[in-house]
Each structure stands twice: as structure tokens, then as C-alpha cells.
Amino acid sequence: MVKHRFSAWGRVMVGIGGLLIVSVLFSAVWAADYPQKGKTIQMLVGNAAGGPTDLGARIMAAGLEKELGVPVVVVNKPGANGQIQLTQVATSKPDGYLFGTVNFPVTITGYLDPTRKTTYNRKSFEPLAMHVNDPNIFAVLAKSPYKTLKDLVDAAKAKPKTITVSSGMRNDEQIGIVQLQKMTGAEFAQVSFTQGTAPSVVALLGGKIEVHCGHAADVLGHVRSGDVRVLGVMDDEESPFLPGVKTFEAQGYKIYSASSRGYLMPAGTPKEILSTLSGAMKKVMATGEHKKKMAEMGLSIRYMDPSQLGKFWDESETMVKELEPLLK
Amino acid sequence: MDVFQNLLMGFSIALTAQNLLLAFIGSLLGTLIGVLPGIGPAAGAAMLIPLTFQMGPTGAIILLTSLFYGTQYGGTITSVLMNVPGEAASAITCLDGYAMAKQGRAGVALSIAAVGSFIGGTFATIALVFAAGPLTRWALEFGPVEFFALIVLGISMLTGLAGKSMIKALMMGVFGLALAMIGIDPIRGSPRFTFDRVELMDGIGFVPVIMGLFGLAEILENAEKPFAQMVLARMSTLIPTRGDIRDSVGPILRGSVIGTTLGLVPGITNSASSFLAYIAEKKSSKTPERFGTGMVAGVAGPETANNAHANGALIPLFTLGIPASPTIAVIMGAFMMHGIIPGPLLFKEHTAVAWGVIASFYVGNVILLILNLPLIGIWVQILKIPYGVLCGIIMAFMVLGAYSVGNSTFDVAVMTLFGVVGYLLKKFDFPLAPIVLTLILGPLMERSLRQSLEISQGSFGIFLSSPIAVVLLSLAALFLIVPAFMFFRRRKGVLPGDGEAVA
């Protein structure tokens, strides 16, 4: 018989291995237990109460409570385009009881801007789920001479920097506009409306600007009353809210830009917890009540699981980096 | 007439037991939220939204709108009784309202404010019913260029806020503008004066600043006095005298017009309305020097204006689907969650809901009046608490309020700092109101100026291309030149030693 004798190092290794196994087992048990009855899940929202991000998140929170059987409390941490909220999520304990909101592309343009001095980046978070996909649109007054996107682009080429279009600050609207400029060589006069879309819709209706770059919900009422015409949607499919409006793609401009909203957790959150919570969100989004509420607000929902969202995030980051010189 | 028939139908909806109850609950909750500093109407309304999922659209919207104008009144209560503005829009009411409370006339101030709020709200609702169309077309004339001119006019009225010294008032105005520069640049997004603090990226919080400048500074100043002197005068009466009523009629009428018109322009906050109404009263008064010492007009004007503004701001929501303020954005969310898109087709597609809600505005304003007049007697009991105890309660209240603005202790620190700043400024006899005025209007001015220049691609000629802007800017110039002219003329004619009268 050969006696097996472990060296001192061997024993340490076995010890560490044992600990690892135990801890993995424990965390598996712990994750299987998630969410524990009696505990509360906090949902941080990086926008003020009442905006579209907040309302969408609150509808999600209400659904999650039913699905998970634990309270889901919405805490608004508005400010600095979500930076205050994201800073807090990034530094929170990855135990599954706190998650936050993520807005694309604003979250990415935020941490890629060195002047913002964010303390987080892509690696600080685990993607959780995508919730809302709100593609950009170009809208003009019904009496505008521009009937199609091509009319508008041709006019902007003929008279550079004279056609006024509402834009934002390193957000989806600006990204949509600079993509169009880069692709066609047209140049618009971008007018910055950074306090929500309402002031820019007023400016459009009052004839103070020629094009409103925003989202379907901004102009739904005016499209139906016949005052406003939407020239195109920056998505790969037509918007259910704007029947008959062609995509940019269908008009020969392969441009996709949207304000996409989802959820994230601190880096290091166990995979099991991510998939449990993300799966619960998927179920909520499949309910008729959720679909109805979101549709009534003019928001289209589009679920992505953690790995799909991670891929989307990486691709968006690459795109923003390419466009970065044009965002000044 | 069509309008009357529709309105009657609206009343038949608004006066059902359920909707009356909702309007009552909304008004009551709104008043309480108004009393709590820090929790603004938008946050309050958003918290109620999930509760409204199960209600019909009319009930949900009645609840939220009555909460909204309830807050406009509730904010007054703490301004008058404690010198702590419960809402930003009531900050200016501190000046004369609190002075009235010190004279034992808190009840009068609150009664006048309640009646003014009622009339202002009703006035704006009548405007919504009978003149929504033309008013909306007028509001659409206000693009960035006209908006900029309007704000310049507002800032030029700063001269009307000067106390004894015009120079000190101008210094404080510039101080407010400098504070307004803090934060992310509204166009290109670069942080300014933020010292790498993420909390400063959106600028200094407005509510913590005014709570510090008005509320905390007052407490610090009182703390100097011997304990026995720190007693507010006892309540003498709740009922306004005939003189009070006479002095309030003009301010209430002017406040109604100012609030309703400014409410129409998206982006102008109701704190701007109440400030400008105050200045209008001071400018048109025969005794402007007595403002700040407990003038009824200084309460009636701004309190009417902020309620008229709250109701007036609903006009663009109904006609254009444009939310003119964050709170109205929440109310718009409630419409949309029930499948109703506010805007040009609202009256056609959802006649019953639209008129039911409008009728509920009348009803809500009446409820608010009925609710508040008897409550005044209860609120003023607060003043019976010994001041030493009361100021502790007020301070706890302010810390809570500052924290709840953004769920952040940073705002508590801001409030404390501005309490000390306000105390020192008071000691050296600097007026505080100009800081608040420019802090409100500064960011609006900067944004609209830069938007205008983006439209014109850098040419200042754009400000001369709009007749409205030209008129507003000329008025602003007049406001600045006339006092300057008087200043120099008087300076020539006075003897040395008359410094107080001159400066």
C-alpha cells in the first residue's frame, strides 16, 4: 500500500479548494434562495420622479413585486444625467438587493467623457435586462416643404448649417443627427434642447425650429391631428405608434438610434441572481397589463437577457467611440 | 352654447361622490406635501401614480391635479408661520407673510393667501375654458428668442427688489447669477465650478438654498436674542380687516393675470411667476419702502400668481399635449397611462374626460378654499409653541426637507452653508430676495440665449427679428435706465449725510 502524503503546499491547496467548493455551494444555495422573503429590493432610478424613465421603471417595479413576492422600492437618485445613481450602484454590495437603471447611449457618453470624471465604466456593472427601446424620429410641421427624408437631406446639403434641428447633449438625438451628417455630408444647425423634449416640440409647433428630433410619444397627438409629419424612424422596423411612417433604413439611410432603457447591477453580482431577476423581468414584460400600460405611454418594450444586453452595450460603446470626435 | 353644455356635462362628472372624494383627498394630500419642505409636487404626484392604475382616467387625473394645486397653497403655510418656504413658489411670501406673523397677523396672511389662491386658480380655469385656443397660439409665439427677452425683462425687475441700497441689491443679483453658473453647461455639457463633486453637476439645489437663506438664517439671527424676547406676537385675529381686503383686490387681480400668462409659457416655473408678481406689487405700490414689513399685497400678489400659474400651465397640456413643468409631466403620464393622449384631439376624442377634469378644477379650487379656511385656525396654533422648542422643530423639518429633495445629505450641507451665508448677509443688511430671483432666472436666461444663438448660428441680430422680443427688451432697458437716472439725479441734489436716503 502506498501511503499518500500531502506536502504542506498540497494541504494548503486542498484547503483552499475545499473553501472554494463550500463557498460556491453556499452562494448557490444563497442565490437559489433569492430573493429571500421579508427582504426588500431597491430599484434606483437615475431620473427625477415622473419622467418617462421613472414611469416605465415604476410600472416594472409594480410587476416585479407580484412576480417575486417581495417589495420592490423605487428610490429616485436624479442628477448629472444618471451619474449620481450609477456611482451609487457601482459602489453598492453585489448581493442582488439593489439594482439601477441604465440609459443608452447617455450612460456610455457619460463615462467616455473625461471631463465628467466618472468613477465607473463598463466593467463596474453587470447588465441585467433591457426594457424599453424608444427609437428616434425626425418630425416636421405638416406645412413644411420637406416631404421625405431625402428632401430634407438635399436641402441641408444645398444650404449647410441653416436647417435647424433640435438636438440634445451627447444623447441619442445628437448621435442620430451626427450619424446622418457623417453618412450624407449634410450639415444641420443643431439647437440644443437639454431639458426634455417638451420645449423643442413647442419650438417646432411655433415654427421656431424646422425639425424636431425626438421620440414617437412627443408628437403622437399632433401626428393624429394632422399638424405634424414624421419623416422617418431610426430603427430596423416601423413604429407601432406611427403606422405608415418608413424607417430611415427603408429610405436608404442605414441609421439606428434610440434611447434604450434597461437595468443593471453592481459588478460581481452572482450569475444566478442576475438570471433570476432578469427572468422575472421577462415574465413581467410578457403580461398583458404591462404591455398595455407601456403601449399607452407610447413606449415599445424590447427584452434582452444579461448576455444579449452585454453584447448590445459593447457594440454601442464601439459606435460611440467612433462618433466621439463629432459630438463636440 | 356648446361650451356651457360641455361644462355642465363636466360638472355632472366632477360632482359624483367618488370624484368629489378624490378631489378632496388630493387637495388634502397636496396641502400636506406643500407643508413639508423639500417634497415637491412632482415627487408627490409620482408617488401616487401607482395607486391610480386601478382608477378610471378621470378619477386618476382629478386626484393628481388637485394634489398639484393643493401643494401651491400648502407651501404658503410654512412660509408665513416659520419663514421656511414649503415650496419654491412660496419663497417670496416669506418676506411679508412672516413679517405679518410677527405682528400677530398670521391668520390674516393665510386667509388672504387662501382667497387669492382660489381666485387665481379659478381665473386660470376660466381662461382655459373660454380662451384656450387664442392663448395657446400666443404661447407658441414664445420660442427661445422671445423666452430670452422675457427672462431679461424679469431680471431687469431686480431693481424693484432693492431695499435701502440699490448697489447691495445688484451685488446680490450678481451673486445669484454666479451661483446659477455652477453645474453642467446646458449646451455642451462641460462641468463648471463643480470641483469634481458629482452632486454639483446639476447646479446648487434651489430648495436647499432658499431654506437656508430664509429659514435657517432667521433662526440663527433669533438665537442672538435673549430667550424671553424670542416670542412671536400672539394671534390677534384671523379675519382680514376691510383695509386688508381693499389692499388685496388689486394684487389678486394682477396676480391672476401674471400667473395665468406666465403659466402658458413652457419652461417658466411658478416660482418665477410669484417673484414677478411680488415685484409688480412693489413697483406699483405707493409705499414700496414698506414691503418686507408685513404688507398684505406682498402676500396676496405672489400667492394668487402661483396658483393661477399652476392652473394656467394646464392649458398647453390640454391644447398641445405639452407639459410645461415637471409636475405637469407627471399628470401627462397619468393621461397616457390610461390611453389618452393630451393634445389637439383631446376634446374631440375624450370629451367626457376632458370636461370632467376641467370642471374638477373649479370644484377642486372650492374644496381647497373650504378645506383651508378652517384649518388656518389650527395651523396658527403652531405659533403657541415656545420659540425655543419651535425652532428645534423647524430645524429638524428643514433637514428632513433638504434631504428629501434628492435623497442626499449633500443638500443638507448646502442648506446649512446657506443658512450661515444668509445670516451674515442679513447682518450686513444685504437683501436676500435678489439672490433667489437670479438663481431662478439665470439658468433659463443662459439656456435660451444659447439656443437663440444656435438657431441664428451666432448672429445677435436674431433678437431684433422678433417684435415680441424687441418690445420686451425695450421694457427691460427702461426698467434699468429709469432707476439709474433717478439715482444720479438724486445723488446730485442731496447733502452729505443723507446717505441712507440716497443709497
Side-chain angles (χ1 to χ4, degrees), chain B residues 411-492:
Chain B
D411 287 329
V412 179
V414 168
M415 183 201 64
T416 314
L417 175 72
F418 276 88
V420 176
V421 169
Y423 169 73
L424 294 174
L425 291 175
K426 274 173 122 170
K427 284 271 122 184
F428 294 105
D429 217 11
F430 283 92
L432 300 178
I435 305 177
V436 183
L437 179 79
T438 49
L439 188 58
I440 295 172
L441 297 182
L444 301 179
M445 177 167 79
E446 185 193 2
R447 199 185 315 133
S448 54
L449 171 64
R450 295 182 63 177
Q451 283 168 346
S452 304
L453 293 178
E454 281 183 319
I455 291 177
S456 70
Q457 292 290 300
S459 157
F460 279 89
I462 193 167
F463 295 109
L464 300 176
S465 69
S466 153
I468 296 180
V470 170
V471 171
L472 292 173
L473 288 173
S474 314
L475 276 175
L478 213 62
F479 269 113
L480 289 177
I481 292 166
V482 171
F485 179 71
M486 308 250 287
F487 178 80
F488 285 113
R489 212 181 56 174
R490 274 163 74 188
R491 168 166 275 187
K492 251 192 212 163

Side-chain angles (χ1 to χ4, degrees), chain B residues 94-109:
Chain B
C94 290
L95 298 182
D96 282 275
Y98 185 64
M100 284 177 77
K102 278 188 183 163
Q103 298 156 10
R105 283 159 43 81
V108 176

Side-chain angles (χ1 to χ4, degrees), chain B residues 264-503:
Chain B
L264 287 169
V265 182
I268 297 205
T269 54
N270 51 4
S271 14
S273 258
S274 57
F275 260 79
L276 296 180
Y278 183 86
I279 297 171
E281 288 319 313
K282 198 171 170 183
K283 283 256 172 198
S284 61
S285 166
K286 288 194 195 89
T287 54
E289 70 284 353
R290 284 182 53 215
F291 273 76
T293 62
M295 291 284 280
V296 174
V299 175
E303 282 305 317
T304 307
N306 68 31
N307 264 57
H309 185 110
N311 283 266
L314 292 164
I315 296 177
L317 175 71
F318 273 75
T319 54
L320 295 176
I322 298 294
S325 75
T327 320
I328 295 187
V330 179
I331 294 170
M332 181 166 167
F335 271 99
M336 297 187 71
M337 272 191 214
H338 289 93
I340 298 170
I341 300 166
L345 296 180
L346 178 70
F347 287 96
K348 230 183 272 172
E349 291 181 348
H350 301 278
T351 321
V353 177
W355 287 100
V357 170
I358 289 177
S360 87
F361 294 165
Y362 288 103
V363 177
N365 276 302
V366 175
I367 288 180
L368 208 57
L369 187 68
I370 299 174
L371 181 74
N372 278 304
L373 285 179
L375 278 181
I376 290 171
I378 298 171
W379 291 119
V380 294
Q381 300 299 321
I382 291 173
L383 295 181
K384 288 197 177 151
I385 303 171
Y387 191 78
V389 177
L390 184 63
C391 73
I393 298 174
I394 297 176
M395 276 163 72
F397 210 58
M398 286 193 300
V399 169
L400 188 77
Y403 180 79
S404 61
V405 172
N407 293 328
S408 150
T409 48
F410 188 82
D411 287 329
V412 179
V414 168
M415 183 201 64
T416 314
L417 175 72
F418 276 88
V420 176
V421 169
Y423 169 73
L424 294 174
L425 291 175
K426 274 173 122 170
K427 284 271 122 184
F428 294 105
D429 217 11
F430 283 92
L432 300 178
I435 305 177
V436 183
L437 179 79
T438 49
L439 188 58
I440 295 172
L441 297 182
L444 301 179
M445 177 167 79
E446 185 193 2
R447 199 185 315 133
S448 54
L449 171 64
R450 295 182 63 177
Q451 283 168 346
S452 304
L453 293 178
E454 281 183 319
I455 291 177
S456 70
Q457 292 290 300
S459 157
F460 279 89
I462 193 167
F463 295 109
L464 300 176
S465 69
S466 153
I468 296 180
V470 170
V471 171
L472 292 173
L473 288 173
S474 314
L475 276 175
L478 213 62
F479 269 113
L480 289 177
I481 292 166
V482 171
F485 179 71
M486 308 250 287
F487 178 80
F488 285 113
R489 212 181 56 174
R490 274 163 74 188
R491 168 166 275 187
K492 251 192 212 163
V494 289
L495 299 166
D498 256 5
E500 195 70 348
V502 176

Side-chain angles (χ1 to χ4, degrees), chain B residues 73 76 80-81 93 96-101 103-116 234-248 252 294-297 299-300 303 373 376-377 380 383:
Chain B
Y73 182 71
T76 315
V80 170
L81 297 179
T93 311
D96 282 275
Y98 185 64
M100 284 177 77
Q103 298 156 10
R105 283 159 43 81
V108 176
L110 290 176
S111 311
I112 292 283
V115 173
R234 281 274 169 267
M235 298 291 313
S236 47
T237 173
L238 293 179
I239 297 148
T241 62
R242 193 167 291 184
D244 290 333
I245 293 170
R246 202 180 48 234
D247 291 344
S248 318
I252 287 177
M295 291 284 280
V296 174
V299 175
E303 282 305 317
L373 285 179
I376 290 171
V380 294
L383 295 181

Side-chain angles (χ1 to χ4, degrees), chain A residues 69-135:
Chain A
V70 293
V72 179
V73 178
V74 176
V75 180
N76 294 94
K77 287 277 175 185
N81 282 12
Q83 193 171 340
I84 290 177
Q85 184 247 160
L86 290 166
T87 305
Q88 190 180 341
V89 174
T91 52
S92 291
K93 221 165 72 178
D95 63 358
Y97 292 95
L98 182 141
F99 68 99
T101 52
V102 53
N103 285 34
F104 298 102
V106 175
T107 296
I108 298 174
T109 58
Y111 65 70
L112 289 182
D113 178 355
T115 69
R116 299 294 288 266
K117 298 201 169 69
T118 60
T119 49
Y120 54 81
N121 57 29
R122 167 75 180 85
K123 291 193 183 71
S124 315
F125 304 105
E126 303 285 352
L128 179 59
M130 184 69 101
H131 185 197
V132 173
N133 174 59
D134 203 358

